[in-house]
């Protein structure tokens, strides 16, 4: 395998918290709890990227903003565990890795379908077998978390009115959203 050797114990050269299983094409991820000797086993995954995503979820939960992440730009899209218990951290990590795997599979399937359907259309024939693929949008778009985030947004209080400003009120215009927040 490129970048791994017996000298580094199978650790991935790019991703923190990820190593390859001995005599296997599987990747595992685990993280040590801060100031404790315990490790939290995050799981076995088919790709190093899935294992790295699982590590990122656990690192954010355990270390917060000081965590060294494999994918720092994807922090906002990662699920947060419901508590700091190892079981909840494992569940959140597995959820993130599964969503990444489903999204990757959907992209690969879409690319394969577009390539084969393009060939079929150029040949002048239409092949319906390319359109029968199933894609689970709930996993790809992380729908349960989207709905929870929307519900949290609905619980926000309306914005506070601006402070009194004589120049602002001189023309009688108080803003475009007068009726939005003052609905009877």
């Amino acid at each position: 395998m490129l970048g791994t050797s017996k000298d580094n114990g199978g650790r991935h050269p790019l991703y923190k918290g990820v190593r390859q299983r001995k005599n296997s094409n599987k990747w595992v991820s685990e993280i040590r709890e801060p100031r404790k000797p315990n490790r939290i086993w995050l799981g076995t995954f088919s790709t190093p990227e899935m294992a790295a995503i699982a590590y990122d979820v656990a690192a954010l939960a355990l270390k917060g903003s000081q965590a060294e992440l494999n994918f720092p730009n994807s922090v906002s899209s990662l699920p947060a565990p419901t508590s700091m218990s190892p079981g909840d951290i494992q569940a959140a990590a597995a959820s993130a890795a599964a969503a990444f795997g489903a999204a990757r599979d959907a992209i690969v399937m879409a690319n394969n379908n577009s390539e084969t359907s393009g060939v079929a259309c150029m040949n002048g024939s239409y092949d319906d077998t390319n359109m029968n693929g199933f894609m689970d949008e709930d996993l790809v778009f992380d729908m349960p978390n989207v709905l929870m985030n929307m519900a949290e947004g609905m619980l926000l209080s309306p914005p506070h009115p601006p402070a009194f400003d004589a120049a602002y009120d001189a023309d009688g215009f108080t803003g475009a959203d007068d009726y939005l927040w003052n609905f009877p």
Side-chain angles (χ1 to χ4, degrees):
M1 182 85 208
L2 179 65
T4 60
S5 69
K6 293 179 182 177
D7 295 336
N8 67 6
R11 280 183 262 159
H12 196 277
L14 296 177
Y15 300 129
K16 186 171 176 58
V18 176
R19 64 181 169 83
Q20 190 173 20
R21 277 202 127 143
K22 294 178 184 175
N23 303 324
S24 175
N25 288 332
K26 300 287 184 174
W27 296 86
V28 298
S29 182
E30 59 187 351
I31 189 169
R32 186 178 299 280
E33 292 184 70
R35 296 175 298 282
K36 292 183 182 178
N38 305 340
R39 291 179 187 220
I40 299 175
W41 179 259
L42 301 174
T44 303
F45 305 96
S46 59
T47 67
E49 292 81 12
M50 291 173 70
I53 292 279
Y55 176 86
D56 284 359
V57 170
L60 276 173
L62 295 172
K63 300 174 185 175
S65 61
Q66 287 78 29
E68 292 182 36
L69 302 176
N70 296 307
F71 302 105
N73 294 335
S74 64
V75 170
S76 62
S77 65
L78 297 176
T82 55
S83 73
M84 295 301 292
S85 73
D88 287 343
I89 292 172
Q90 288 171 334
S95 170
F100 176 83
R104 184 199 67 228
D105 293 345
I107 290 170
V108 168
M109 187 185 320
N111 287 341
N112 289 343
N113 283 345
S114 67
E115 289 172 5
T116 57
S117 64
V119 170
C121 290
M122 286 192 300
N123 292 339
S125 64
Y126 177 74
D127 185 8
D128 193 38
T129 59
N130 293 330
M131 305 307 275
N132 290 334
F134 173 74
M135 181 173 53
D136 190 356
E137 288 91 5
D138 288 344
L139 286 177
V140 173
F141 298 115
D142 196 19
M143 290 305 290
N145 286 342
V146 168
L147 296 176
M148 287 189 330
N149 291 341
M150 288 175 59
E152 288 174 8
M154 298 290 289
L155 296 175
L156 294 176
S157 60
H160 295 291
F164 179 74
D165 185 5
Y168 180 73
D169 288 338
D171 62 355
F173 179 72
T174 57
D177 293 336
D178 287 340
Y179 297 110
L180 177 63
W181 299 111
N182 295 327
F183 192 74

